[in-house]
Amino acid sequence: MTQVKGVHFAQPPGLMQPFSIPVQITLQGGRRRQGRTAFSTSGGKRNIDHSDGDPPDMHQKLPSSAGEDRAMLLGFAMMGFSVLMFFLLGITMLKPFMLSTQREESNCTIIHTHIMDDWMDCAFTCGVDCQGQGKYPCLQVFVNLTHSGQKALLHYNEEAVQINSKCFYTPKCLRDGNDLLNSALNIKEFFDHKNRTAFSCFYSPDNQSEDVILIKKYDQMVIFHCLFWPSMTMLGGALIVGMVRLTQYLFLLCEKYRTALRDEVSGKVPYMARNQFKLWSVGRSKGRSQEIL
């Protein structure tokens, strides 16, 4: 303990004698006050940290930013678009493929071609509320299957077989039948030039029908693309959403860990201050006892 005594104040002449005021400055007391101040300040900071920081809440919402929101929107849009693609392609491609007859590839040669005398009836539209009746020529193409030697009637594709099984194809109905006749004659001339020339065709091995198609509209490669690209779109959207959610979850875990670590560090500081205060109190009591002795 350090004491400062005998501080004199000068008095003007004619007044009382000079007097002195003993002033005692206790450095240890100042240190004690500083220790209390530091202790209270650290406690206040800890309360502030608890109030400002995010408490560890297991039900806390995952944080998100504008970029993450856009990424989530993109992922959900991709998944919705893939579902729409599945729906449309399932109606237009997959369902006809499942209902169509399974055919295998073979070689065909032209036997003969001719146009039937009796034309087929058809309907055409000439306006909003105008419909008319017309006729179109029926072209028949007979081929020979190379693997079996069976005579068969050639069609353009599966739809031509379903619409009219007697003709090679069904043209669009027009008012003027001469244009349809010229088109049929051009096709007949093309096949006449292929006489005795083998070309690929598709037949049905399950039944003994005489229907053979030239072009297979619904093949396995088309079905593969119809299933592959919507699936990839769905997978890409799910990956985007999953990665964003994983990033948000990891960020939340980091925030919880940082908050717990900060609370642990802030809790150790008052504990150390209390220990120092206890040690100082013990030392002070020992010093007083020695002075008394």
Side-chain angles (χ1 to χ4, degrees), residues 6 54 77 84-85 97 116 129 137 169 209 217 223 250 256 272 283:
D54 296 331
L84 181 61
M85 289 175 63
F97 174 77
M116 295 179 61
D129 297 330
Y169 77 107
S209 63
K217 184 177 181 180
I223 301 303
L250 293 178
K256 289 181 179 180
M272 294 174 64

Side-chain angles (χ1 to χ4, degrees), residues 18-38:
F19 64 94
S20 62
I21 299 176
V23 179
Q24 296 181 355
I25 300 176
T26 305
L27 298 180
Q28 293 180 352
R31 292 176 182 176
R32 182 175 61 184
R33 287 192 297 272
Q34 290 178 0
R36 292 178 179 177
T37 305

Side-chain angles (χ1 to χ4, degrees), residues 122-139:
C122 63
F124 62 90
T125 57
C126 53
V128 179
D129 297 330
C130 177
Q131 292 184 354
Q133 295 293 326
K135 291 180 177 295
Y136 66 91
C138 180
L139 174 64

Side-chain angles (χ1 to χ4, degrees), residues 31 41 77 80-81 100 104 126 128 137 145 158 167 176-177 197 202 204 207 216 228 252 257 288:
R31 292 176 182 176
T41 305
F81 181 69
S100 64
E104 295 182 0
C126 53
V128 179
L145 290 174
E158 296 93 337
C167 304
D176 188 4
T197 302
F202 300 91
S204 177
N207 51 28
K216 192 175 181 180
F228 177 75
L252 183 59
Y257 176 76
R288 287 182 178 180

Side-chain angles (χ1 to χ4, degrees), residues 154-171:
L154 183 65
H155 299 274
Y156 181 69
N157 55 17
E158 296 93 337
E159 292 181 354
V161 178
Q162 297 175 1
I163 295 174
N164 191 348
S165 61
K166 295 181 180 180
C167 304
F168 172 73
Y169 77 107
T170 302

Side-chain angles (χ1 to χ4, degrees), residues 55-215:
D57 187 7
M58 296 304 296
H59 301 284
Q60 186 177 1
K61 293 183 178 179
L62 296 177
S64 62
S65 61
E68 292 175 348
D69 293 338
R70 295 190 185 97
M72 293 281 289
L73 181 61
L74 176 62
F76 285 118
M78 290 176 64
M79 289 190 288
F81 181 69
S82 64
V83 173
L84 181 61
M85 289 175 63
F86 274 123
F87 179 74
L88 295 177
L89 295 176
I91 293 176
T92 58
M93 301 297 292
L94 296 179
K95 185 177 180 180
F97 174 77
M98 298 299 295
L99 297 177
S100 64
T101 304
Q102 301 297 323
R103 299 178 183 272
E104 295 182 0
E105 187 176 359
S106 179
N107 291 327
C108 297
T109 56
I110 299 294
I111 298 177
H112 69 276
T113 61
H114 77 282
I115 297 175
M116 295 179 61
D117 295 334
D118 296 334
W119 287 22
M120 301 295 173
D121 296 330
C122 63
F124 62 90
T125 57
C126 53
V128 179
D129 297 330
C130 177
Q131 292 184 354
Q133 295 293 326
K135 291 180 177 295
Y136 66 91
C138 180
L139 174 64
Q140 291 183 336
V141 180
F142 292 94
V143 296
N144 182 25
L145 290 174
T146 305
H147 75 284
S148 64
Q150 181 184 0
K151 182 180 179 181
L153 182 63
L154 183 65
H155 299 274
Y156 181 69
N157 55 17
E158 296 93 337
E159 292 181 354
V161 178
Q162 297 175 1
I163 295 174
N164 191 348
S165 61
K166 295 181 180 180
C167 304
F168 172 73
Y169 77 107
T170 302
K172 184 179 180 181
C173 189
L174 299 176
R175 184 190 299 271
D176 188 4
N178 293 327
D179 295 337
L180 299 177
L181 179 60
N182 293 331
S183 178
L185 290 174
N186 292 332
I187 297 174
K188 182 179 182 301
E189 183 180 359
F190 171 78
F191 282 112
D192 289 339
H193 287 299
K194 279 186 170 293
N195 192 12
R196 303 303 176 181
T197 302
F199 58 92
S200 62
C201 59
F202 300 91
Y203 70 100
S204 177
D206 297 335
N207 51 28
Q208 299 296 327
S209 63
E210 298 180 354
D211 295 329
V212 180
I213 62 175
L214 179 63
I215 297 176

Side-chain angles (χ1 to χ4, degrees), residues 204-272:
S204 177
D206 297 335
N207 51 28
Q208 299 296 327
S209 63
E210 298 180 354
D211 295 329
V212 180
I213 62 175
L214 179 63
I215 297 176
K216 192 175 181 180
K217 184 177 181 180
Y218 307 108
D219 58 352
Q220 296 180 355
M221 187 58 64
V222 173
I223 301 303
F224 170 76
H225 285 289
C226 291
L227 294 175
F228 177 75
W229 295 112
S231 301
M232 292 301 295
T233 307
M234 174 72 76
L235 181 61
L239 283 177
I240 291 175
V241 174
M243 291 299 291
V244 172
R245 298 294 294 178
L246 179 62
T247 304
Q248 293 176 350
Y249 179 72
L250 293 178
F251 177 79
L252 183 59
L253 288 181
C254 292
E255 286 294 324
K256 289 181 179 180
Y257 176 76
R258 186 174 64 181
T259 303
L261 183 61
R262 183 175 56 195
D263 293 341
E264 183 180 358
V265 172
S266 60
K268 288 181 179 179
V269 173
Y271 178 76
M272 294 174 64

